[in-house]
């Protein structure tokens, strides 16, 4: 079964066809939306009489048609190379010193989709050859492949195999951020190839000084590499020495590890080549052990710091004020709140609302409820605050008035769609906010996901999952839930474990103190 094209692949097909043929006529399901998106980017314009016909704009022609032939400006117009489109399947990748980095490919995709392939790849062979070998441009080739393109722009060079590999190495040395092991591999291989092509440039020692063979008018390996890559000769000689004295397998093991640095490679040079792989494996194992020890020590320090901070906050909370019938003062470090919002009329035509089974409070009353020294929460605290989507702005005002700062949010998907003035509501949001030096969640504790789905029940009742998550994250802290009656909880609710207290309010008059 054929794979359906992605939206990006469809857009590329449409715009390239439009530019090449001067028009694009919708021919498949999904073309209309893709053409509309390209129209929004200023690349297509619709026929005024036929809605299925689209024409490329001047911007599209400028961006895409200019890719058909490209002259390399740095070579000058008289010797510039012409880039031509070539079938991707005719290009052999072959063995590479360096594999493609998927992160770089992903980074190139938006540019390819937006403006096309601006820089051609280089291949070994003539334009008419049935098959050619890739010389430079692996990431560009992989990007085009993954986007579903059939062709890419190519420069053709009549390289032999050694020239092709030299080109690949120089391309990497010039453009890539290489590690010490990468440079050693590339430079050592380049020296090997260069001396194979130009053996007359080999240097010999005479009278204690190295000198180039006078019979050769070719540059030495180091001079040639410096000229091709813009690097310092001494750096090249150092990297070549490393690469020659370290076996490839050992270098490949080192690449990308903590040991991938010049200091370790210089030590490795002194190890007999038949023992280098074992030496690297032992060093990597030691580094892994050190990293594990460091992680364990860091974890213990963080846990100890959290434990002390939690104990201090709990001690402060114990000193807080708790009087029956009154709002507590500075007595809880964790808050959970579902305020009694004043109901809005849900119909502009009738002005009706559904009414509430409990007394409501205005936004101003809610802002004043826990502001300043009236706060039931300690100076260092975290608050979980429920809001509907249409009340989000008011919720943030209340949170700020209570001295808290927004941190994140969990959305409750209620599965069944409700009513609404602008959209039909299906979600509510639990805002997470904190103040002061609250310790937060332990680094290695599993974090809750930002979306939770559970079918809603009666009005205002929230799934117990949210309270269970709060209890799991802060098991050692006492918690206060505002506007919740303890008596309304079902048997087995986590909030009945003795670590939760409750406070309700009727438009400013106590409904029942902390229980």
């Amino acid at each position: 079964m054929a794979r359906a094209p992605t939206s990006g692949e469809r857009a590329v097909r449409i715009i390239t066809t439009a530019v090449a043929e001067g028009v694009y006529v919708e021919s498949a399901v999904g073309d209309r939306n893709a053409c509309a998106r390209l129209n929004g980017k200023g690349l297509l314009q619709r026929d005024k009489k036929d809605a299925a016909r689209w024409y490329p704009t001047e911007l599209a022609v400028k961006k895409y048609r200019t890719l058909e032939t490209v002259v390399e400006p740095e070579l000058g117009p008289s010797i510039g190379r012409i880039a031509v489109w070539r079938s991707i399947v005719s290009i052999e990748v072959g063995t590479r010193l360096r594999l493609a980095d998927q992160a770089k490919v992903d980074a190139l995709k938006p540019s390819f989709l937006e403006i096309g392939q601006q820089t051609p790849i280089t291949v070994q062979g003539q334009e008419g050859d049935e098959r050619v070998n890739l010389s430079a441009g692996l990431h560009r080739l992989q990007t085009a492949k993954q986007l579903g393109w059939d062709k890419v722009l190519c420069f053709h060079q009549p390289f032999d195999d050694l020239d092709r590999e030299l080109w690949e190495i120089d391309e990497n040395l010039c453009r890539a951020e290489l590690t010490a092991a990468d440079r050693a591999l590339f430079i050592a291989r380049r020296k090997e190839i260069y001396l194979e092509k130009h053996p007359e440039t080999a240097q010999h020692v005479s009278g204690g000084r190295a000198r180039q063979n006078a019979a050769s008018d070719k540059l030495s390996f180091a001079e040639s590499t410096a000229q091709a890559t813009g690097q310092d000769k001494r750096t090249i000689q150092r990297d070549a020495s490393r690469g020659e004295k370290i076996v490839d397998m050992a270098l490949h093991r080192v690449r990308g590890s903590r040991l991938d640095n010049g200091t370790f490679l210089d030590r490795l040079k002194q190890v007999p080549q038949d023992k280098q792989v074992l030496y690297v494996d032992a060093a990597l194992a030691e580094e892994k052990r050190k990293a594990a020890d460091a992680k364990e020590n860091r974890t213990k320090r963080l846990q100890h710091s959290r434990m002390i901070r939690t104990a201090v906050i709990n001690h402060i909370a114990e000193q807080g004020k708790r009087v029956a019938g009154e709002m507590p003062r500075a007595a809880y470090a964790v808050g959970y709140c579902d305020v009694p919002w004043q109901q809005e009329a849900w119909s502009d035509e009738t002005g009706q609302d559904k009414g509430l089974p409990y007394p409501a409070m205005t936004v101003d009353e809610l802002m004043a409820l826990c502001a300043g020294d009236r706060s039931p929460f300690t100076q260092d605290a975290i608050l979980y605050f429920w809001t509907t989507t249409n009340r989000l702005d008011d919720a943030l005002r209340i949170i700020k008035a209570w001295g808290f700062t927004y941190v994140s949010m969990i959305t409750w998907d209620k599965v069944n769609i409700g009513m609404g003035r602008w959209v039909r509501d299906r979600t509510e949001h639990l805002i997470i906010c904190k103040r002061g030096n609250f310790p937060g969640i332990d680094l290695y504790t599993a974090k809750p996901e930002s979306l939770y789905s559970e079918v809603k029940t009666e009005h205002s009742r929230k799934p117990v999952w949210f309270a269970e998550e709060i209890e799991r994250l802060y098991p050692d802290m006492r918690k206060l839930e505002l506007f919740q009656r303890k008596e309304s909880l079902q048997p087995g609710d986590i909030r009945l474990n003795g670590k939760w207290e409750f406070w309700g309010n009727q438009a400013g008059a106590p409904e029942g103190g902390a229980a």
Side-chain angles (χ1 to χ4, degrees), residues 153-199:
L153 277 172
C154 300
F155 287 132
H156 288 79
Q157 290 282 17
F159 290 148
D160 59 27
D161 288 338
L162 294 179
D163 281 326
R164 180 183 66 82
E165 195 170 351
L166 278 176
W167 182 273
E168 177 200 346
I169 291 171
D170 290 347
E171 181 90 352
N172 278 283
L173 289 174
C174 289
R175 300 184 181 183
E177 290 295 327
L178 301 180
T179 66
D182 285 326
R183 286 195 302 271
L185 277 167
F186 280 128
I187 294 292
R189 179 56 180 156
R190 193 186 197 282
K191 183 175 181 179
E192 183 181 349
I193 297 170
Y194 190 81
L195 294 182
E196 185 175 344
K197 284 183 63 67
H198 308 292

Side-chain angles (χ1 to χ4, degrees), residues 335-352:
Y336 186 45
C337 182
D338 186 13
V339 302
W341 296 105
Q342 195 173 48
Q343 192 81 349
E344 290 182 317
W346 57 269
S347 169
D348 284 333
E349 287 73 23
T350 66
Q352 295 174 343

Side-chain angles (χ1 to χ4, degrees), residues 137-349:
L138 177 61
H139 290 97
R140 281 163 276 160
L141 179 64
Q142 290 297 329
T143 300
K145 279 185 177 180
Q146 292 183 22
L147 289 176
W149 291 15
D150 296 323
K151 297 180 179 181
V152 286
L153 277 172
C154 300
F155 287 132
H156 288 79
Q157 290 282 17
F159 290 148
D160 59 27
D161 288 338
L162 294 179
D163 281 326
R164 180 183 66 82
E165 195 170 351
L166 278 176
W167 182 273
E168 177 200 346
I169 291 171
D170 290 347
E171 181 90 352
N172 278 283
L173 289 174
C174 289
R175 300 184 181 183
E177 290 295 327
L178 301 180
T179 66
D182 285 326
R183 286 195 302 271
L185 277 167
F186 280 128
I187 294 292
R189 179 56 180 156
R190 193 186 197 282
K191 183 175 181 179
E192 183 181 349
I193 297 170
Y194 190 81
L195 294 182
E196 185 175 344
K197 284 183 63 67
H198 308 292
E200 70 277 13
T201 65
Q203 296 176 334
H204 64 86
V205 177
S206 176
R209 297 181 60 190
R211 61 183 179 84
Q212 185 174 328
N213 189 327
S216 171
D217 59 357
K218 288 283 185 181
L219 296 175
S220 70
F221 153 73
E223 291 168 335
S224 168
T225 308
Q227 189 176 86
T229 64
Q231 296 184 15
D232 178 75
K233 274 179 58 177
R234 294 185 63 182
T235 301
I236 291 166
Q237 290 166 339
R238 179 203 64 196
D239 290 334
S241 174
R242 288 171 176 167
E244 288 175 312
K245 294 179 180 178
I246 302 173
V247 297
D248 285 358
M249 189 176 294
L251 279 173
H252 279 287
R253 274 171 156 75
V254 170
R255 289 173 69 183
S257 72
R258 293 172 177 267
L259 304 177
D260 197 349
N261 58 70
T263 301
F264 179 79
L265 294 185
D266 286 335
R267 289 205 308 270
L268 186 57
K269 281 169 49 177
Q270 311 306 318
V271 178
Q273 290 191 335
D274 61 339
K275 293 182 173 60
Q276 286 178 351
V277 172
L278 292 176
Y279 183 85
V280 170
D281 287 346
L284 288 172
E286 178 64 14
E287 286 294 314
K288 186 175 181 180
R289 185 193 63 77
K290 289 180 180 178
D293 289 346
K295 179 178 179 181
E296 184 179 356
N297 291 334
R298 185 171 63 253
T299 301
K300 288 179 179 178
R301 288 197 303 271
L302 291 173
Q303 289 175 340
H304 183 67
S305 176
R306 268 184 56 84
M307 181 180 67
I308 293 175
R309 191 68 194 139
T310 299
V312 170
I313 292 174
N314 284 340
H315 177 74
I316 293 172
E318 288 298 324
Q319 311 307 311
K321 183 180 178 181
R322 295 178 180 84
V323 178
E326 296 182 6
M327 173 71 79
R329 297 289 184 265
Y332 302 92
V334 180
Y336 186 45
C337 182
D338 186 13
V339 302
W341 296 105
Q342 195 173 48
Q343 192 81 349
E344 290 182 317
W346 57 269
S347 169
D348 284 333
E349 287 73 23

